[in-house]
Amino acid sequence: MDKRKTEVRELWAEGIPVKEIIKRTGTLRQTIWRWTRDLPEPETRVKLTRRTPKQETQREAARALYSNGSSLDKVSVQLDVSKPTVYGWIKDLVAKNPNRENNQGRRYKVNDEFFKDPNVINSYWAGLLAGDGNVINGVIRLSLKDRELIDGFKAVTKFAGKVREYKAPRGGQMYSVAISSSQWVKNLQQFNVVPNKSHTLSPPDLEHPLNLAYLKGLYDADGCLTHNTKGLSVWKVSGTRMTCEWVRDIATKLVPEHHANVNVNRNTTHDFTLVGSRAVKMLKALHAIKTPELSRKWPTEIL
């Protein structure tokens, strides 16, 4: 495969027409485009492809418009040329900044710098995303049962898009936002919010009180406060083993003298729990961190 790819790239660089490359190497047209998209188009290919004077003028205009900041969609509309054709003309420019189209092609604006520098507020939202969010193909999604928190997320991130409403598989109303931002994808890595995090999530390296703000968001997403058969408060957070051990280390400092363990559930997720007065102390310690919070998980009669 590597040998054939090298041959395709060399033929492309020589200016050999795509049809001829297909004949010589037996490579699919789509594969040729993928293997050569970072290479500039050779000048010799201009003659071999026999562009008309009009097409050559449009090509130069497309490259100029894109270089001056117009998106692929806008160039296509302005020149009245199909997007695949425009992409063929400018693909070497796109390859130099692959994340640019992700942001330019989106329909709604957002504060791309929101997660750039960790602070108490964005650490809380990162913790919430660690539990109830996901990152797929450059899009960050947050889905919750509570509209109040979704609206708060929209406001603080200056997201101008819509909130999607749908029924959860097990019943109940759900609210979701989907945000396309290459900067978010990059900056969320410092919080370890990455694709396919469900079984691999590790805690971020945050200083106090940012670590508590992150934990507060994680609790709002994947935690709960209940009571056991003796009527004692039970504070619990679920997640990966590494995450639960990190929560245990924080609890050791905030509410010492506990003997709680990290427990494994049937579905291989893990829980960390505190019971009684230590559960209440943990809840109050996190409540003291000035961030948004999910009201139903912070009962006023305890706080």
Side-chain angles (χ1 to χ4, degrees):
M1 179 65 73
D2 291 340
K3 182 178 180 181
R4 183 152 60 96
K5 181 178 180 180
T6 300
E7 182 182 4
V8 167
R9 289 173 64 86
E10 289 176 349
L11 291 173
W12 175 275
E14 293 173 9
I16 304 301
V18 174
K19 289 184 179 180
E20 184 63 24
I21 296 177
I22 294 173
K23 290 180 181 179
R24 294 189 189 184
T25 65
T27 305
L28 294 175
R29 183 181 296 271
Q30 297 93 323
T31 303
I32 293 174
W33 291 129
R34 189 173 72 251
W35 284 351
T36 61
R37 62 186 175 187
D38 61 322
L39 299 178
E41 185 172 340
E43 289 300 321
T44 54
R45 193 182 307 283
V46 175
K47 298 178 182 179
L48 292 171
T49 52
R50 298 178 182 177
R51 291 194 189 95
T52 65
K54 179 181 178 181
Q55 289 174 329
E56 188 59 36
T57 300
Q58 288 177 320
R59 174 181 177 274
E60 294 301 323
R63 294 178 66 83
L65 288 169
Y66 189 81
S67 297
N68 289 329
S70 294
S71 67
L72 176 60
D73 287 337
K74 289 183 178 179
V75 173
S76 175
V77 171
Q78 187 168 342
L79 298 180
D80 193 23
V81 178
S82 69
K83 284 178 62 175
T85 299
V86 172
Y87 180 76
W89 292 341
I90 66 172
K91 67 174 187 173
D92 60 307
L93 302 178
V94 175
K96 293 178 181 178
N97 189 0
N99 290 326
R100 174 180 158 184
E101 278 301 315
N102 289 340
N103 291 344
Q104 286 191 336
R106 67 189 180 195
R107 297 175 59 189
Y108 304 108
K109 293 183 179 180
V110 71
N111 177 10
D112 289 308
E113 304 297 319
F114 181 73
F115 288 105
K116 182 178 180 180
D117 299 312
N119 55 53
V120 168
I121 298 300
N122 63 22
S123 293
Y124 167 82
W125 290 111
L128 197 74
L129 283 168
D132 281 339
N134 60 56
V135 181
I136 301 176
N137 296 328
V139 177
I140 299 90
R141 287 181 173 82
L142 177 63
S143 301
L144 298 167
K145 295 180 180 179
D146 303 85
R147 181 65 185 254
E148 59 172 303
L149 218 51
I150 285 288
D151 287 340
F153 186 62
K154 278 192 60 180
V156 74
T157 60
K158 299 180 181 179
F159 176 55
K162 297 180 180 180
V163 175
R164 177 185 169 224
E165 300 182 20
Y166 62 97
K167 295 293 183 181
R170 297 182 180 180
Q173 192 76 8
M174 293 291 294
Y175 304 93
S176 175
V177 291
I179 299 171
S180 175
S181 173
S182 58
Q183 287 93 326
W184 276 30
V185 173
K186 177 182 178 181
N187 293 333
L188 281 170
Q189 292 177 9
Q190 64 191 321
F191 298 100
N192 294 331
V193 178
V194 296
N196 304 314
K197 62 176 175 54
S198 298
H199 301 294
T200 61
L201 180 67
S202 58
D205 183 16
L206 297 173
E207 298 293 332
H208 179 85
L210 306 191
N211 59 342
L212 297 187
Y214 179 93
L215 175 54
K216 187 175 181 179
L218 188 64
Y219 166 74
D220 272 353
D222 285 337
C224 64
L225 184 72
T226 59
H227 293 84
N228 61 16
T229 55
K230 296 181 180 180
L232 298 176
S233 297
V234 179
W235 183 90
K236 181 175 74 173
V237 167
S238 301
T240 62
R241 185 174 188 86
M242 287 184 292
T243 299
C244 289
E245 289 176 346
W246 173 75
V247 177
R248 181 183 60 190
D249 292 341
I250 292 178
T252 301
K253 298 177 181 179
L254 290 180
V255 287
E257 300 179 5
H258 68 81
H259 304 285
N261 295 317
V262 174
N263 301 315
V264 182
N265 294 328
R266 293 180 182 178
N267 58 358
T268 71
T269 61
H270 298 73
D271 295 331
F272 175 78
T273 59
L274 292 171
V275 180
S277 61
R278 288 182 287 274
V280 175
K281 288 179 181 178
M282 174 62 87
L283 195 72
K284 290 182 176 180
L286 295 181
H287 178 66
I289 305 299
K290 301 303 181 182
T291 70
E293 58 188 30
L294 192 53
S295 57
R296 61 183 171 85
K297 293 193 177 183
W298 305 87
T300 55
E301 62 271 18
I302 293 180
L303 300 172

